[in-house]
């Protein structure tokens, strides 16, 4: 239904030591095929190359992918990554 159209997909990195949060919007998901045009029972795969900003502290980060709007946000924890 059209309720998905106001959602934005994003990636979150949380530093395991400082608990600082960095988020990046995942806009390509919406520019090729708008969510309102997504087909039910079909999987959409997207490969992303992420350029981690140099100002992020080095260390271990929890890696999440999420989707949210002004009312609801849901994130899925994918694992830990190391930023050097």
């Amino acid at each position: 239904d059209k309720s998905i159209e106001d959602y934005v997909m994003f990636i979150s990195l949380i530093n395991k030591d400082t608990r600082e949060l960095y988020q990046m919007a995942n806009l390509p998901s919406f520019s090729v095929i708008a969510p309102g045009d997504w087909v039910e029972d079909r999987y959409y795969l997207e490969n992303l190359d992420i350029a981690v900003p140099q100002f992020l502290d080095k260390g271990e980060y929890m890696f999440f992918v999420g989707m949210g709007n002004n009312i609801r946000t849901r994130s899925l924890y994918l694992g830990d990554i190391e930023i050097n």
Side-chain angles (χ1 to χ4, degrees), residues 2 4-5 8 11 14 22 25-26 36 43 51 55 59-60 73:
K2 291 197 175 284
I4 196 170
E5 291 183 19
V8 173
I11 293 169
I14 300 175
Y22 180 75
N26 187 8
Y43 290 94
F55 62 79
E60 196 170 3
T73 299

Side-chain angles (χ1 to χ4, degrees), residues 4-5 7-9 26-35 38 67:
I4 196 170
E5 291 183 19
Y7 278 82
V8 173
M9 296 182 78
N26 187 8
L27 300 177
S29 300
F30 297 88
S31 63
V32 177
I33 301 174
W38 291 0
M67 192 175 219

Side-chain angles (χ1 to χ4, degrees), residues 1-57:
D1 65 31
K2 291 197 175 284
S3 65
I4 196 170
E5 291 183 19
D6 63 345
Y7 278 82
V8 173
M9 296 182 78
F10 58 90
I11 293 169
S12 301
L13 298 173
I14 300 175
N15 185 300
K16 290 185 86 170
D17 291 329
T18 66
R19 297 297 187 202
E20 286 190 34
L21 168 69
Y22 180 75
Q23 289 186 317
M24 299 165 267
N26 187 8
L27 300 177
S29 300
F30 297 88
S31 63
V32 177
I33 301 174
D37 295 329
W38 291 0
V39 177
E40 189 174 338
D41 295 326
R42 177 179 243 176
Y43 290 94
Y44 294 90
L45 301 176
E46 183 173 88
N47 295 320
L48 301 173
D49 290 325
I50 300 169
V52 177
Q54 292 183 351
F55 62 79
L56 283 182
D57 292 334

